[in-house]
Amino acid sequence: MDYDSDSNSELICNICKRGASGRREAKITKMIALMITAFLLAWSPYAALALAAQYFDAKPSASVAVLPTILAKSSICYNPIIYAFLNKQFSQSLKKIFGMRMSRTMVADSQKPALTRMNRQEQRN
């Protein structure tokens, strides 16, 4: 069998691409699983209390009934928090929006020219 160097480098590139895409897919899968778990944990107490009140004549006090309701309705806040912690680009954008300084090691290569232009403009002012 005669292999040329182009086909070998192409094979290596395909393996590398699959490895990177596999890591991305694994990260996305973890993030989605965490979001689903957070949703279920937030809404399960509310659902259990609603079922108990409907079918088993449970009469919880107002202070007990409000806790599952608050937990369930706060679930809308969990997805952005989970996404911010697990997505590097999203967290960098949030830091930029809220005016937090990023360390040089966190800045992507594609953003470095923009940062140097911004730094020059800041120095002029």
Side-chain angles (χ1 to χ4, degrees):
M1 289 186 192
D2 190 24
Y3 294 107
D4 59 22
S5 63
D6 289 336
S7 65
N8 286 339
S9 62
E10 194 173 308
L11 178 64
I12 292 170
C13 284
N14 286 337
I15 292 170
C16 292
K17 286 179 186 175
R18 272 193 229 138
S21 86
R23 285 190 297 273
R24 278 193 302 270
E25 287 177 9
K27 282 179 125 177
I28 291 169
T29 303
K30 286 179 189 176
M31 182 174 54
I32 291 171
L34 187 58
M35 287 178 174
I36 291 170
T37 303
F39 178 85
L40 290 174
L41 288 174
W43 279 94
S44 292
Y46 181 82
L49 187 64
L51 287 172
Q54 181 69 32
Y55 295 110
F56 302 111
D57 294 325
K59 305 262 188 267
S61 67
S63 59
V64 171
V66 78
L67 293 175
T69 304
I70 291 171
L71 182 64
K73 292 183 180 181
S74 68
S75 71
I76 195 168
C77 302
Y78 304 152
N79 285 352
I81 293 169
I82 292 168
Y83 197 73
F85 280 113
L86 296 180
N87 188 316
K88 188 176 178 181
Q89 290 175 333
F90 186 78
S91 62
Q92 286 176 351
S93 296
L94 279 179
K95 287 177 183 179
K96 186 177 178 182
I97 288 171
F98 291 112
M100 301 169 114
R101 297 252 182 228
M102 293 185 294
S103 68
R104 292 286 181 197
T105 57
M106 291 179 63
V107 177
D109 290 336
S110 62
Q111 293 176 340
K112 286 183 182 177
L115 283 176
T116 55
R117 278 185 247 126
M118 286 175 34
N119 290 340
R120 283 188 217 133
Q121 288 175 353
E122 286 176 4
Q123 289 174 355
R124 289 179 195 156
N125 296 334

